[in-house]
Amino acid sequence: MTKVQTRVVLVVALLCTATTAFAQARPAAPAAPQPARAPARAAMRVMTLTSTAFTDGGMIPARHAQTGRDVSPALSWSGAPDSTRSFVLLVHDADAAIGDGTDDLLHWMVWNIPGNATSLPEGVPQGAQAVNGMRQISGTGPYYRGPAAPATGPAHHYVFELYALDAMVNVAPTGMSPPLTRREVMAAMASHIRGKGVLVGLYKRPAP
């Protein structure tokens, strides 16, 4: 190796050493800020909703239908989360579309059921608001309205949905139409649902 080649090698080596030292001496670039994460939401609790009047998927007795005494059935539930402050009960005919077809027939809606409750007795009295703060409506008034599917055609599915909420629902039971009140209650409870139970009963009027 000539003297010139030796000098070139030494210069290159010195440049590499200086570059490495400079890179190590530079402060690390600050990490890009991470977007804030929303707090984790507790998983939805699956609850059990039952009735002594009928089994899930069974026929609803005439006593609880419009052709009978129109008495609300006894309901009981379990599995509500500890955070429950109130319950909402929605009873609707899934086979009876109304309006523009995106809604169905409301038979009963009860909200602000106390959070420590585990049941509703048979024959809940009429009235927009009870002394314990519970409120109720149906498609025709402040009371339970039983099933009444026609004798012709298949039996209708009457869906009982119970929601456990971590809040109360501040919607008045009077002053609006039943469909609008239902929508307002559903909107108010949307971000507060912590558990849900479902019970389905079938009904059709007896043949004449």
Side-chain angles (χ1 to χ4, degrees), residues 5-21:
Q5 290 175 326
T6 302
R7 287 177 181 177
V8 171
V9 171
L10 289 173
V11 170
V12 172
L14 288 172
L15 287 174
C16 290
T17 302
T19 302
T20 302

Side-chain angles (χ1 to χ4, degrees), residues 164-190:
L165 311 183
D166 63 5
M168 305 297 286
V169 176
N170 188 24
V171 175
T174 57
M176 295 184 289
S177 67
L180 183 55
T181 301
R182 173 182 175 177
R183 285 195 291 271
E184 289 292 314
V185 171
M186 297 300 288
M189 63 189 249

